[in-house]
Amino acid sequence: MRLRLLLVLLLSAAGGLLPLSAQESGSIALTVYNEGTALIRDQRALKLEAGVNTVDFQDVAATIDPTSVTFRSLSDPAGTVALEQNYIYDLVDAEALLSRYLDETINVTTADGTVYSGELLSGRRGDAILRTTDGEIVVLRLYDARDIRFPALPEGLITRPTLQWLLQSAAAGDQQVEITYLAGGMNWTADYNLLLNDAETALDLRGWVTLNNQSGRAFQDARLKLVAGELSRIEPQPAMMESRVMAMDMMEEQASQVEQRELFEYQLYQVARPVTIKDNETKQIEFVSGDEIAATTFFVFDASPRPGGYFSPIDYRDGWTSDSGDVLTFLLFNTGDESGLRADLPAGRIRVYQQDIDGAGLLIGENRIDHTPQGEDLRIQLGKAFDLVGERKQTSFETVSRTVVRETFEIALRNRKDSETVEIRVPERLYRWSDWEISESSAPFEKLDAATIEFRVSVPPGGEETLTYTVQYTFPRTR
């Protein structure tokens, strides 16, 4: 609290803090990418003299990338030329003021009311070192200072980040100009809320844009666009200004006010109405919705090894230990016409709810999804099934010859539900070598890819089903 009070007193004591001349933004267009970058297009009115003009643009984002700035005159593009551009970010703060007042006289009032006056020798690392008029050296902890007074604001210090232009104008008069630049500290993500029906056959979906602004400036009545996709960007340098504490302002708006369209290889979402985004604010806008979207849930017991690929034959005995594992619950639906959603879903966080008997929606799972285009299946892991248990073990391993091995697995599936028969999917990865054959199996299976098969086993309530299969591998003779 004392440090915050100190900074306020520093600014008020400096006196004469007249802001540099700045033009009010007439029109703001804001395009935010979900990679932490924003493109800002800012139109303003200027009054120029014929010849060379020095113009200050205040209220730019504190996280601006100065190398990305472009300037153009909308009124006289041929007769108005930018000769120079400077980005001024030496802002007023305690450290900046102290560094500018070395060898100057300042007054410091401590918490107990004692006033010290003297020549400032150092103002670093939270200390102020003064030489008083009688030659005494005094070291003061700035944390304990109640008030610091300076003669005036040093030249070159400003209160807000500023772009300064040297403009050549062919004629005097009012002009409309536009600056465009990239800035960091802005990001958006997608958040989805799904309500699954009791029969677990359909769901209602609401998708929200969650926009986070820590750019160092507010945007009043901006035309907002959001781009979903992964752009190739050079890694930005760390921001010059520290972020402040984020204030949450959750604004719920209507989904019909967001338009979706394609932009190059990305998806673009445009808010139809002007949006005001405060600095250090998180804002939410609904952008996609759907009701009665066809969906299904299913269970998976997956305890087989996860190799990175076939690099060399594995002919030694392994996998013989008993593996008891969790049975996972998944939700599956399609984003296209098949389900009734017909929407692209940008990457984000997805929460799934289901109503209890009293009508209250309870969270049953949460996960993240990647960018999912329209027409694709979306598979979401919800959690672990409480009443289902799986156990997998290797029951035999046999070296048939120098190039052939054979092994058998037994998978026990138990259903502890009271009245519901469930189907459990059991993927098995055949990890030893690419030349394999299932010689025996107690249940049918489907080949998913070159290294994976999947069984689907129905287990009655209170019952247990045991699945067994034998796989034979043939290795190359020249290994």
Side-chain angles (χ1 to χ4, degrees):
M1 181 65 71
R2 285 184 179 178
L3 287 175
R4 185 176 301 175
L5 176 62
L6 171 63
L7 182 56
V8 172
L9 291 173
L10 277 170
L11 296 178
S12 63
L17 289 184
L18 297 177
L20 298 177
S21 176
Q23 295 73 30
E24 295 293 332
S25 295
S27 176
I28 289 284
L30 183 62
T31 303
V32 183
Y33 300 83
N34 55 8
E35 297 290 324
T37 303
L39 178 66
I40 300 162
R41 193 167 75 248
D42 193 345
Q43 294 181 6
R44 305 191 186 187
L46 293 182
K47 187 175 183 64
L48 298 178
E49 301 292 335
V52 178
N53 298 259
T54 299
V55 178
D56 292 331
F57 281 74
Q58 293 185 337
D59 287 333
V60 297
T63 54
I64 185 175
D65 179 356
T67 64
S68 69
V69 178
T70 60
F71 169 92
R72 68 185 181 116
S73 170
L74 303 178
S75 304
D76 185 14
T80 306
V81 180
L83 304 177
E84 286 185 11
Q85 171 195 303
N86 299 295
Y87 175 51
I88 307 171
Y89 54 88
D90 193 5
L91 302 183
V92 173
D93 62 19
E95 185 176 347
L97 280 170
L98 289 171
S99 67
R100 294 298 184 95
Y101 273 95
L102 293 177
D103 303 326
E104 298 287 339
T105 299
I106 66 171
N107 297 318
V108 180
T109 303
T110 60
D112 61 4
T114 305
V115 179
Y116 294 87
S117 178
E119 178 186 353
L120 178 64
L121 302 180
S122 176
R124 298 182 303 167
R125 298 178 181 176
D127 294 331
I129 302 176
L130 304 182
R131 179 191 288 123
T132 63
T133 54
D134 58 5
E136 183 182 7
I137 304 299
V138 181
V139 179
L140 301 173
R141 297 289 296 173
L142 293 179
Y143 180 81
D144 294 327
R146 189 180 68 192
D147 185 14
I148 302 179
R149 296 187 178 272
F150 303 90
L153 181 66
E155 191 172 320
L157 281 178
I158 58 174
T159 58
R160 290 174 288 181
T162 300
L163 282 173
Q164 189 175 83
W165 300 89
L166 194 64
L167 302 179
Q168 175 76 46
S169 179
D174 295 331
Q175 288 198 34
Q176 286 289 328
V177 300
E178 179 181 87
I179 61 169
T180 304
Y181 59 90
L182 294 171
M186 295 199 73
N187 193 17
W188 75 277
T189 58
D191 285 281
Y192 304 94
N193 293 325
L194 277 61
L195 181 62
L196 184 65
N197 67 7
D198 293 339
E200 300 178 5
T201 58
L203 57 85
D204 298 338
L205 179 147
R206 298 292 181 268
W208 297 83
V209 167
T210 301
L211 178 63
N212 183 14
N213 178 21
Q214 297 187 59
S215 67
R217 75 158 289 185
F219 301 92
Q220 184 74 30
D221 294 332
R223 302 190 305 279
L224 178 62
K225 298 178 183 178
L226 308 164
V227 177
E230 298 182 9
L231 279 71
S232 177
R233 292 290 315 279
I234 299 174
E235 189 68 24
Q237 297 298 316
M240 297 179 182
M241 299 186 65
E242 295 183 358
S243 297
R244 287 168 281 174
V245 179
M246 181 178 66
M248 300 293 290
D249 182 17
M250 312 298 277
M251 303 292 292
E252 298 186 359
E253 307 293 346
Q254 296 299 318
S256 60
Q257 297 181 355
V258 177
E259 174 190 351
Q260 177 185 351
R261 61 180 182 272
E262 292 185 357
L263 172 68
F264 188 57
E265 297 301 323
Y266 315 113
Q267 291 295 323
L268 184 144
Y269 299 87
Q270 181 171 357
V271 181
R273 56 178 178 76
V275 177
T276 295
I277 309 162
K278 300 175 183 177
D279 187 26
N280 291 326
E281 177 180 73
T282 295
K283 181 181 289 290
Q284 284 197 311
I285 304 170
E286 187 176 314
F287 76 102
V288 64
S289 64
D291 295 322
E292 294 297 318
I293 300 165
T296 185
T297 58
F298 60 92
F299 303 101
V300 176
F301 175 65
D302 186 354
S304 64
R306 296 178 178 271
Y310 293 125
F311 298 105
S312 62
I314 301 174
D315 58 2
Y316 51 86
R317 179 186 179 99
D318 66 350
W320 56 270
T321 57
S322 176
D323 294 321
S324 294
D326 297 308
V327 177
L328 303 179
T329 308
F330 289 83
L331 173 66
L332 178 68
F333 66 94
N334 188 275
T335 59
D337 292 335
E338 178 181 327
S339 67
L341 179 58
R342 294 181 289 275
D344 298 288
L345 300 184
R349 179 171 50 188
I350 195 162
R351 296 183 178 94
V352 183
Y353 299 84
Q354 192 172 49
Q355 285 187 341
D356 195 7
I357 57 175
D358 61 358
L362 302 179
L363 181 69
I364 61 172
E366 180 181 31
N367 219 315
R368 291 193 175 274
I369 63 171
D370 293 327
H371 296 303
T372 306
Q374 180 177 329
E376 292 293 315
D377 285 337
L378 191 55
R379 171 173 159 157
I380 306 162
Q381 180 181 324
L382 299 180
K384 302 174 182 178
F386 185 85
D387 296 322
L388 304 178
V389 179
E391 184 178 2
R392 177 184 187 271
K393 62 183 177 181
Q394 183 191 61
T395 57
S396 71
F397 177 83
E398 178 184 4
T399 301
V400 179
S401 68
R402 185 170 177 270
T403 60
V404 177
V405 298
R406 184 185 300 129
E407 66 181 336
T408 300
F409 288 95
E410 178 183 281
I411 301 166
L413 303 170
R414 294 186 286 277
N415 178 8
R416 301 308 185 195
K417 294 179 180 293
D418 295 330
S419 59
E420 179 185 353
T421 298
V422 299
E423 179 186 78
I424 302 176
R425 303 182 186 186
V426 184
E428 287 288 299
R429 281 168 285 276
L430 309 172
Y431 59 95
R432 294 187 180 275
W433 189 239
S434 57
D435 188 353
W436 55 266
E437 179 184 10
I438 303 298
S439 56
E440 294 182 26
S441 175
S442 64
F445 62 87
E446 178 185 358
K447 183 177 179 181
L448 301 184
D449 56 42
T452 311
I453 61 175
E454 183 182 80
F455 299 91
R456 298 193 178 187
V457 182
S458 292
V459 187
E464 177 177 342
E465 293 290 334
T466 300
L467 163 69
T468 61
Y469 75 93
T470 301
V471 56
Q472 180 170 297
Y473 296 91
T474 302
F475 302 140
R477 294 181 180 274
T478 57
R479 63 191 176 96

